[in-house]
Every structure is written in C-alpha cells, then in structure tokens.
C-alpha cells in the first residue's frame, strides 16, 4: 500500500539522516577542541583564598604575638586605648616608611605575618635595639623582609591604624640580633618645693613632672639642685648657652638642663665653665619632652648658681627688659632681699584713684606682693604714676609686667625700685603694640606701626633659611615672611636663629613686625624675634 511505502520511506530517511549526522557531529567536536571560547570562563578568574593566619603568642618576651595576635588583642581594647603594659610582636617587615637615622634616632615601618602583608601592624616612630636612639650609621638598619620583634605600648589609633604608641616602643630583635634595654635608673627620695629657698633635687623634679604628663610645660619656673653628670654642650660665646645632665649624688636618675643660659640669666661671654660633679642650681620651666626626656623647657632656663657662686646683678637673656630674672610672685617672695632684678607679671589689685606713687598689690596664680612706687622706666622720675596710668591704660584688674628688687619694710615683702615693662593688650616697652593675631589681620597695612604677636609656629621647615612660616594663636593665623634675629638683622640666617633659640614646629614665640600683604595674602613683614616660651 502507498501508505506503508510512504511510512517506510520516512523511516528510512530518518535512519539515513542520523547516520549522516553522527559522523558530522563527531567531526565538529574534534575540530573545535583547539578553537578558543568566545568568552572568559568565570572559573579562570577565581583568586586563591588568602591564607588564614591564626593568632599566636601572648605578647610576652618569651611568647610574642604574631601580627594576627596583636590585632586580636587590640580588638579587646577598643579604639584609641593604649595598652597598660609593653607588648612584644613578631613579624616580617613589608614596608619601610622611615628608616632609622641619626637625626631623630627612630624609625617607622610596617610588619605582617607573611610577605604578602594581609595582616598589617605599624611600628610607629620607635627606638632602636636596646631601647636607644639610633646613633651609628654602620649599625644594621631595617629593610623589607627582615624578621623583627618589637616591644612597646600598642594602640588602635582612631580605630583604624593598629600601631605602637609614638616614642613608647623599640626594636627588640632584628634578624635574631637583640640588645637588652638598660635597667631603670636608681633615684633618690624626692625633696624640695621647687622654690629658690627650697629647690627640688633631681628626684623631686622628676616626681613633679610625672604629675604633669608628657609634653606639658610647667606653668611656672622652678629651681632644681644637683650634680653635673655629663656635659653635652659646654657654655660658649657662639650661642651663649649649654646643655648638660644633672643627678643626685650617688644615684643615676637624670634631669637635663637643656640649652640654659649662664649665671644671671645671661648669654655666656666669659666665666667659669662646667665640669663633671659641679654642684649647680638651675632655674626654668620644665617639661617631660615626648614623655621620656625630663628637661628644662627650651630657652626658659638658666644657671642660677655654680658651686655656690651666683650673679651679683640680673641677667635677662631674652626677656623684654634684657636685665632681669623672670620669676613667679611666689618665687619672688621666697627670694632673699638683694639688689638682684626680677621680672614678674600679674594683675593689679587695690589700685587707689589719684595715687601719685604707684603703690598697689600685684597678684598671679602663685601669690601676691606689694609694689612700692612703680616708675615708668628704670630710674625714672617719682610721683608720675598718674602719667603712666594715662599713657598705658593701667587700672584695677589689668595685667602688667614689671621689674624690681626683692625688699622688705617692717616685715612686709615689697617690690622695690620697680619700673614698668608692658601691659597685656597694650604697648610693650619695645614700642610695639601687643595684640592678637585676629586684631593684627584686621589692622591697616603700615610700615610705620609695629605690632607684637605671640603664637605657635606652624609649617616650620628644617631647611628654611629665610624664616617663612605661619604663626597661630587662639584667634587666628598669619603668615610670617622672613623672621630676623633682631630688628634690621641679617637675612637668610633663620637656621642660625632656630638653632640658637630652639625654634621648631609648635614652639610658642613672640615676634614684632609690620602689617603687610602680598598678592592679597596678609603677612607679618620686617619681622624680628623677641622671645620663645617653649
């Protein structure tokens, strides 16, 4: 039948077609083996899983943390919480931010548990082997792939930077080489009140500084008595100051007299030089610099006595008057009656209207003293106090600086032979108006009017020879263009000035200059140095 034949034909065709396609498909599969695929295989981009490093150690010398361990430990402290104890951490250096140098003696680098650096911890401005500053360029330095053990206080800075606390860590081991830190220095019993009549011993001033904290300068000058241990910089005529360490006899805890002036608070020009074991009394504001260097605050200190010898007159160093020792009223009251000149600052109290003589009380945070007969200048005319009041604006409650001798009358302490130096917010003895930076910026430009400004140095450059930086107080900031060492002094000598006075980033200084501008930017022009506070 036709129908059968037709169905048979269709079946035959299906069988034949299959027989034809089978070898063809085999050919296509074989032929496509060497042809690249027209798209990327997602499996080809799969990255290897990072190696998981488990925390190891307990942070002690015998079992230091690995990096994973110290990161886990910091999580238990929380952000910006400093560890109470020194922590030991072992790792591989993967990046050196600042190698050890003889300039600062410290370094900054990053460590990890592996060379790939998945876990990272920063050694931030720590010291060298033995917990000492790096001093010898021939000693091994730190390099990438070095194996190190570090020791110190640790912190998760702002919750995102695990690191050692600045200046509170050191390199305990470098590729297996280690050096033990020196033992803690022995200290005498703390003695003294820090006054001229009862100076601190070295242990006493160290105890006093421990209560202030790191980098906090004492509000007042104090007196420290001790023996000279080591002379770092001898007195000389180039800078007129010296740096040396002091100890209590029989003990090795040290205090540093840092760039202090000579007897009488003057720059050294002649006189006895220091020797080891000399007995000295030093006066100045004090600070525990970076938390590890107790010292006189730079350019505030001077040698009060050397083996019992003191200056007969004043000194003054960089004080506005140039011939007096700067002291608090408490220290003035504790000083002996003499012809030594002292500079004190305080608030006027009990001022009598119409007083011709200038008799009143002067008060600061340490005490009060009676001023007997304030003159407008040293050796000035008496009974002219009302002229001084009118000229300078002195009134009850104003803050003034005066100079005078320590005297007594009928058992009452007095400032005798006193004369005026300056008034806060008014004209100083230099002839310059003492104002805030905000008021300076608001003043009119002039090369005739001189202004006295006090503020912190910002943007200080170590290599700047001109003296260009910003000066900042609580009211604002201004650019200082070319600070000279004195009025009309030689230009391009800023580095000599900075070295002699200790000017650096963050120093509080007083300068005098004119209000100017350049390309629309306000500047202190024709500026010259007056004094430094810290």
């Amino acid at each position: 039948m036709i129908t059968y034949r037709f169905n048979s034909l269709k079946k035959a065709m299906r069988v034949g077609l299959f027989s034809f396609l089978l070898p063809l498909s085999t050919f296509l599969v074989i032929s496509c083996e060497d042809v690249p695929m027209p798209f990327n295989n997602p499996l080809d981009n799969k990255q290897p899983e990072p190696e998981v490093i488990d925390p190891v150690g307990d942070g002690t010398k015998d079992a230091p943390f690995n990096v994973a361990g110290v990161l886990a430990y910091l999580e238990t402290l929380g952000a910006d919480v400093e560890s109470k104890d020194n922590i030991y951490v072992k790792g591989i250096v993967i990046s050196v931010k600042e190698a050890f140098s003889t300039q600062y003696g410290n370094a900054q680098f990053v460590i990890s548990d592996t060379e790939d650096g998945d876990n990272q911890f920063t050694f931030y401005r720590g010291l060298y082997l033995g917990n000492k500053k790096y001093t010898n360029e021939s000693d091994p330095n730190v390099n990438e792939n070095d194996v190190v053990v570090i020791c110190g206080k640790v912190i998760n800075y702002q919750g995102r930077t695990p690191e050692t606390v600045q200046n509170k860590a050191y390199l305990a081991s470098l590729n297996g080489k280690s050096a033990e830190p020196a033992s803690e220095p022995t200290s005498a019993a703390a003695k003294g009140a820090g006054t001229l009549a009862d100076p601190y011993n070295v242990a006493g001033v160290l105890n006093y500084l421990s209560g202030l904290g790191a980098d906090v300068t004492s509000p007042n000058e104090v007196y420290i008595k001790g023996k000279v241990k080591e002379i770092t910089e001898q007195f000389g005529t180039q800078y007129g100051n010296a740096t040396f360490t002091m100890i209590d006899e029989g003990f090795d805890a040290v205090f540093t007299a840092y760039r202090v002036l000579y007897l009488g608070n003057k720059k050294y020009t002649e006189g006895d030089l220091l020797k080891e074991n000399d007995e000295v009394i030093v006066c100045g504001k004090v600070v525990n610099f970076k938390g590890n260097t107790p010292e006189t605050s730079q350019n505030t200190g001077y040698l009060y006595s050397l083996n019992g010898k003191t200056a007969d007159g004043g000194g003054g160093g960089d004080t506005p008057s140039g011939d007096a020792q700067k002291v608090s009223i408490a220290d003035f009251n504790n000083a002996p009656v003499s012809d030594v000149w002292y500079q004190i600052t305080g608030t006027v109290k009990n001022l009598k209207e119409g007083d011709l003589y200038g008799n009143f009380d002067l008060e600061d945070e340490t005490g009060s003293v009676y001023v007997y007969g304030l003159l407008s200048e040293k050796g000035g005319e008496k009974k002219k106090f009302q002229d001084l009041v009118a000229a300078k604006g002195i009134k009850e409650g104003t803050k003034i600086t005066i100079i005078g001798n320590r005297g007594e009358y009928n058992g009452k302490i007095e400032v005798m032979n006193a004369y005026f130096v300056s008034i806060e917010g008014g004209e100083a003895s230099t002839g310059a108006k003492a104002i805030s930076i905000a008021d300076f910026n608001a003043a009119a430009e002039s090369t005739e009017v001189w202004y006295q400004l006090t503020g912190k140095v910002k943007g200080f450059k170590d290599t700047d020879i001109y003296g260009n930086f910003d000066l900042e107080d609580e009211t604002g900031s201004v650019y200082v263009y070319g600070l000279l060492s004195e009025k009309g002094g030689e230009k391009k000598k800023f580095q000599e000035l900075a070295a002699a006075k200790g000017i650096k980033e963050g120093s509080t200084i007083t300068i005098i200059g004119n209000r100017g501008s350049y390309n629309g930017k306000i500047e202190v022009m024709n500026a010259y140095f007056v004094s430094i506070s810290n």
Side-chain angles (χ1 to χ4, degrees):
M1 293 178 62
I2 295 175
T3 303
Y4 171 79
R5 292 182 62 187
F6 179 74
N7 290 337
S8 299
L9 178 61
K10 287 196 294 181
K11 183 177 180 180
M13 289 177 63
R14 285 199 299 267
V15 172
L17 180 61
F18 178 76
S19 301
F20 169 76
L21 291 176
L22 181 60
L24 177 62
S25 62
T26 302
F27 168 78
L28 290 173
V29 170
I30 296 172
S31 300
C32 290
E33 284 186 353
D34 297 327
V35 178
M37 297 180 70
F39 54 85
N40 291 328
N41 187 340
L43 297 177
D44 292 340
N45 292 328
K46 186 177 181 181
Q47 298 296 320
E49 291 293 330
E51 183 182 358
V52 177
I53 306 295
D54 293 327
V56 173
D58 59 11
T60 62
K61 180 180 179 181
D62 294 331
F65 282 131
N66 63 353
V67 174
V70 73
L71 297 182
Y73 170 74
L74 285 169
E75 286 184 5
T76 67
L77 298 183
D80 293 319
V81 178
E82 180 180 323
S83 64
K84 292 182 179 179
D85 302 316
N86 282 344
I87 301 298
Y88 287 82
V89 187
K90 184 175 182 179
I92 300 170
V93 178
I94 62 170
S95 174
V96 179
K97 305 297 184 183
E98 298 174 16
F100 285 105
S101 69
T102 56
Q103 182 178 9
Y104 300 115
N106 57 29
Q108 181 181 349
F109 54 84
V110 179
I111 64 174
S112 181
D113 288 323
T114 67
E115 294 180 2
D116 297 331
D118 291 324
N119 291 332
Q120 296 185 5
F121 181 80
T122 299
F123 179 77
Y124 188 63
R125 292 181 180 168
L127 297 179
Y128 193 59
L129 294 170
N131 200 13
K132 296 179 179 180
K133 290 185 177 181
Y134 182 82
T135 57
N136 191 346
E137 292 180 350
S138 64
D139 286 340
N141 215 315
V142 65
N143 297 288
E144 291 184 12
N145 299 321
D146 283 344
V147 177
V148 298
V149 177
I150 59 181
C151 176
K153 301 292 180 65
V154 297
I155 191 171
N156 190 8
Y157 181 66
Q158 295 186 346
R160 59 175 182 265
T161 308
E163 63 185 25
T164 57
V165 179
Q166 183 172 343
N167 296 307
K168 292 186 179 181
Y170 65 95
L171 184 63
S173 170
L174 175 59
N175 295 322
K177 178 182 178 181
S178 61
E180 290 298 322
S183 58
E184 288 293 321
T186 58
S187 181
K191 296 180 181 179
T195 63
L196 179 59
D198 186 20
Y200 286 129
N201 64 349
V202 169
V205 73
L206 296 182
N207 182 62
Y208 171 66
L209 283 169
S210 68
L212 295 182
D215 293 320
V216 178
T217 302
S218 65
N220 303 306
E221 292 173 335
V222 298
Y223 291 83
I224 309 104
K225 184 176 182 178
K227 294 273 190 178
V228 175
K229 178 184 180 183
E230 183 177 357
I231 302 165
T232 306
E233 297 175 8
Q234 180 65 269
F235 282 111
T237 56
Q238 182 178 9
Y239 298 120
N241 57 32
T243 297
F244 55 92
T245 55
M246 302 165 56
I247 59 171
D248 294 320
E249 190 168 13
F251 299 89
D252 54 9
V254 300
F255 176 81
T256 300
Y258 186 62
R259 292 182 179 171
V260 296
L261 296 178
Y262 196 57
L263 296 173
N265 201 9
K266 293 180 178 178
K267 288 186 176 181
Y268 176 86
T269 54
E270 60 180 354
D272 297 335
L273 293 177
L274 294 170
K275 303 183 300 296
E276 291 183 9
N277 297 317
D278 278 346
E279 185 175 83
V280 295
I281 297 177
V282 168
C283 176
K285 292 185 177 182
V286 294
V287 64
N288 191 6
F289 182 66
K290 299 299 182 185
N292 56 25
T293 309
E295 63 185 22
T296 53
S297 183
Q298 189 164 300
N299 295 303
T300 69
Y302 65 95
L303 183 65
Y304 177 79
S305 74
L306 175 59
N307 296 320
K309 177 183 177 181
T310 60
D312 293 329
D318 295 318
T319 62
S321 67
D323 62 357
Q325 300 175 23
K326 295 183 290 184
V327 296
S328 68
I329 290 177
D331 286 341
F332 178 87
N333 289 338
N334 286 323
V337 174
S338 72
D339 58 356
V340 174
W341 294 97
Y342 295 99
Q343 176 178 300
I344 55 178
T345 299
T347 302
V348 173
K349 298 290 183 181
N350 302 317
L351 185 67
K352 296 179 178 63
E353 187 175 353
D355 174 25
L356 299 177
Y357 297 92
N359 300 334
F360 53 88
D361 293 317
L362 196 65
E363 183 179 287
D364 70 4
E365 64 274 11
T366 70
S368 178
V369 68
Y370 185 68
V371 180
Y372 178 71
L374 184 67
L375 307 177
S376 60
E377 58 185 357
K378 189 174 184 179
E381 189 177 354
K382 298 180 179 180
K383 297 185 180 182
K384 294 289 184 180
F385 182 63
Q386 286 304 305
D387 295 342
L388 177 62
V389 166
K392 302 298 182 182
I394 299 172
K395 58 185 178 181
E396 180 80 11
T398 56
K399 190 174 183 179
I400 64 173
T401 298
I402 67 173
I403 286 174
N405 304 130
R406 162 61 160 87
E408 285 185 10
Y409 181 73
N410 286 340
K412 181 179 181 179
I413 299 172
E414 295 182 347
V415 187
M416 304 184 71
N417 306 315
Y419 63 94
F420 175 82
V421 175
S422 66
I423 182 172
E424 187 176 79
E427 186 176 294
S429 60
T430 56
K433 187 177 182 181
I435 61 174
S436 69
I437 290 177
D439 289 341
F440 178 87
N441 289 337
E445 291 191 27
S446 172
T447 57
E448 302 296 326
V449 180
W450 294 90
Y451 296 100
Q452 179 173 300
L453 304 174
T454 299
K456 289 186 178 295
V457 173
K458 300 291 183 180
F460 176 86
K461 298 180 180 64
D462 291 334
T463 57
D464 175 27
I465 61 174
Y466 297 95
N468 301 335
F469 52 87
D470 293 316
L471 194 68
E472 183 180 287
D473 68 6
E474 64 276 6
T475 70
S477 178
V478 68
Y479 185 68
V480 179
Y481 178 71
L483 184 67
L484 307 178
S485 60
E486 57 186 356
K487 190 173 184 179
E490 189 176 355
K491 296 180 179 179
K492 298 185 181 181
K493 295 291 184 180
F494 181 65
Q495 284 304 304
E496 287 87 336
L497 174 64
K501 303 299 181 183
I503 300 172
K504 58 186 177 182
E505 182 76 10
S507 294
T508 299
I509 64 172
T510 298
I511 66 172
I512 288 175
N514 303 131
R515 162 62 161 87
S517 67
Y518 181 73
N519 285 341
K521 182 178 181 180
I522 298 173
E523 295 181 347
V524 187
M525 306 184 71
N526 306 315
Y528 63 94
F529 176 83
V530 175
S531 65
I532 182 169
S533 300
N534 56 50

